[in-house]
């Protein structure tokens, strides 16, 4: 069965009885297997499995790819056959009938990592996620770990604003060669697509070195040098505490990268279990 | 029957089945007949009538009356006998287990009127209301018109963040002499209490003058002069559009006042139906 497409908030609410388990996977569409793995998780949990498809203008900067971001609702619905019940695809006038003057403010972490080169990005994400949670009222909302910082900030928002929604965090899905799946991979030329694998390869090598005892800062510096040598423009390469996303050197580590190849900004990360990390410098 | 007192969010959620009509009246306790009129409205609508009693630290400035604000939970519960089912009275650790770094940001109106002399006040109110709405998930939340600007900003937040809650706006309740009921009236000395009635009297006189054709700005200036002559320290006296709270001169008007008598800050307002207001200057 194909999912039912719903454009209006009121229609959507009328279709969601209050005593059913509703799961929500928020997406911007252009769905790939990574998204579908989240939706399949929702299918296992929920009586009613909802996928939102909305390219949220609030999270794009003025020079970013809002206008060219792929929009392919019909193909997305076909991909969701038999795994989603409802596709919630509001238009801008439905979700932002007036200029959005009420927004979610996040802690300074939202201005670090991806937030440094994308000012306002996480505030835009948090605001639309807040709206979507209130439209759908899911018991569970499902996010992927590829957007690690986004996942962290959404979990923080849900906890601090007491949303009655459980956030499910799902592992990164990768192509056969190791590149993390992303809708933006479609922007890569075939030459760039081949070279893109150097990004996850560098992360894996660094993770192995850290596990073997290398200082995280040294490993991160090596990743940066490698990527620059391979023609990437590096935005950041950073080791952070995997639980708090601070630079506090205790507990498990996550190594996060953002880098541009040609016109395409890629992000990726790898978690590193570090039983002895208390002794290691992160920054 | 006395209401059940619940201190924990999880316990509260377990007591609220999803298919019942739940109403919420958020209060800071020290309940008076004004609060009770809101709660009685909830009683008429709801299967489960909830009153929250929480003195929210986030909405008090460093020199305000957070520590001295009256706390009388037992007496409040007695006042709620037979009209509320549940009193939700979390402590600070329950509602703010960690420093609150995720907050609601409001439009510039939040820095006008009461927001000008109370910076951060409405952000604190909006954040706790957001949290309470997520804890209780009411179909209806009930607010009084005495806090007119607060009511407006809560309505704006609920609309722009798509909360599935209807906001019920209830009229101001007044003492026999006309003073708007307020928990802070208890701070007034008996001499101040007698003089306090000059505030609603000045508003009524101004409203009659505006209805009779006087310019709103002139009427507001007269109120200011009268209150100052009567020993009030005036914070603001302003006419605003009653629907938008802007200074746009069309539609109905609300005349809003904040003034301090002795140590006690009083607010009040009066709505004025103005079929011909399009021609009038507000600011």
């Amino acid at each position: 069965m194909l999912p039912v497409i719903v454009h209006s908030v009121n229609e959507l609410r009328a279709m969601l009885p209050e005593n059913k388990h509703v799961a929500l996977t928020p997406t911007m569409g252009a769905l790939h297997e990574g998204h579908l793995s989240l939706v399949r998780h929702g299918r296992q949990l929920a009586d009613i499995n909802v996928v939102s498809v909305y390219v949220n203008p609030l999270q794009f900067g003025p020079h970013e790819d809002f206008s060219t971001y792929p929009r392919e609702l019909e193909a997305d619905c076909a991909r969701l056959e038999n795994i989603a019940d409802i596709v919630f695809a509001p238009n801008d006038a439905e979700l932002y009938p007036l200029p959005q003057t009420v927004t979610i403010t996040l802690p300074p972490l939202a201005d670090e990592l991806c937030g440094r080169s994308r000012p306002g990005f996480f505030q835009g994400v948090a605001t639309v996620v807040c709206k979507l949670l209130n439209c759908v009222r899911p018991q569970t909302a499902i996010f992927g770990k590829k957007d690690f910082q986004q996942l962290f900030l959404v979990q923080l928002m849900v906890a601090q604003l007491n949303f009655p929604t459980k956030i499910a965090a799902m592992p990164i899905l990768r192509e056969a060669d190791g590149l993390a799946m992303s809708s933006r991979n479609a922007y890569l030329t075939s030459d760039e697509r081949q070279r893109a694998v150097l990004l996850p390869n560098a992360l894996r090598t660094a993770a192995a070195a850290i596990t073997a005892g290398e200082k995280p800062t040294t490993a991160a510096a090596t990743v940066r040098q490698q990527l620059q040598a391979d023609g990437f423009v590096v935005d950041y390469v950073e080791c952070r505490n995997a639980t708090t996303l601070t630079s506090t050197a205790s507990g498990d580590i996550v190594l996060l990268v953002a880098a541009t190849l040609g016109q395409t900004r890629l992000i990726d990360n790898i978690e590193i279990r570090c039983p002895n990390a208390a002794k290691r410098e992160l920054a």
Side-chain angles (χ1 to χ4, degrees), chain A:
Chain A
M1 282 251 292
L2 285 171
V4 177
I5 304 179
V6 181
H7 298 289
S8 111
V9 175
N10 287 339
E11 249 182 81
L12 176 71
R13 284 190 176 138
M15 294 174 71
L16 299 173
E18 289 189 334
N19 50 355
K20 298 282 185 184
H21 188 134
V22 175
L24 169 67
T25 303
T27 81
M28 299 209 299
L31 303 179
H32 50 65
E33 277 298 316
H35 296 111
L36 298 184
S37 72
L38 311 185
V39 181
R40 283 192 196 100
H41 183 69
R43 174 77 293 160
Q44 290 178 345
L45 304 170
D47 300 313
I48 303 181
N49 200 21
V50 181
V51 176
S52 63
V53 172
Y54 182 61
V55 183
N56 172 37
L58 224 60
Q59 72 191 65
F60 285 81
H63 303 297
E64 294 185 347
D65 55 347
F66 175 67
S67 62
T68 57
Y69 198 88
R71 287 158 172 91
E72 44 198 55
L73 184 59
E74 209 174 322
D76 284 339
C77 287
R79 292 166 186 137
L80 292 169
E81 184 168 11
N82 295 326
I83 55 172
D85 301 304
I86 296 174
V87 168
F88 177 47
N91 64 20
D92 294 343
E94 180 71 11
L95 222 49
Y96 300 110
L98 297 170
Q100 186 79 17
T101 58
V102 179
T103 56
I104 306 296
T105 294
L106 298 167
L109 170 64
D111 302 318
E112 303 174 13
L113 300 169
C114 279
R116 210 174 47 215
S117 57
R118 306 187 72 184
F121 170 67
F122 287 114
Q123 184 171 2
V125 168
T127 302
V128 82
V129 169
C130 177
K131 288 166 71 76
L132 290 170
L133 291 178
N134 280 337
C135 290
V136 179
R137 287 190 282 179
Q139 272 78 347
T140 311
I142 305 157
F143 290 82
K145 286 190 169 186
K146 170 151 172 295
D147 302 295
F148 199 92
Q149 187 181 9
Q150 168 180 286
L151 169 65
F152 179 89
L153 289 167
V154 166
Q155 285 173 320
L156 195 72
M157 176 183 80
V158 163
Q160 287 202 10
L161 296 182
N162 298 86
F163 275 96
T165 299
K166 184 180 179 309
I167 302 298
M170 303 300 289
I172 299 174
L173 248 66
R174 297 182 180 280
E175 304 289 353
D177 66 352
L179 179 65
M181 290 187 187
S182 166
S183 302
R184 289 190 169 97
N185 291 350
Y187 297 158
L188 297 166
T189 66
S190 68
D191 173 61
E192 287 164 356
R193 174 63 192 81
Q194 285 194 301
R195 283 192 293 139
V197 71
L198 296 165
L199 180 60
N201 285 353
L203 285 186
R204 270 210 316 278
T205 304
I210 292 169
T211 303
E214 186 163 71
K215 275 176 63 175
T217 44
T218 308
T222 305
V223 170
R224 175 180 285 273
Q225 283 159 16
Q226 279 179 347
L227 291 176
Q228 283 170 340
D230 291 331
F232 290 79
V233 176
V234 175
D235 184 356
Y236 62 82
V237 182
E238 286 198 40
C239 284
R240 295 277 177 124
N241 180 298
T243 311
T244 61
L245 269 191
T246 58
S247 300
T248 308
S250 67
D252 295 334
I253 291 171
V254 59
L255 172 57
L256 306 116
V257 177
T260 299
L261 192 55
Q263 303 297 309
T264 308
R265 188 171 185 276
L266 302 171
I267 64 172
D268 201 349
N269 66 80
I270 190 165
E271 290 172 271
I272 307 158
R273 307 262 163 252
C274 288
N276 304 316
K279 298 169 205 125
R280 302 180 182 199
E281 284 170 39
L282 290 185

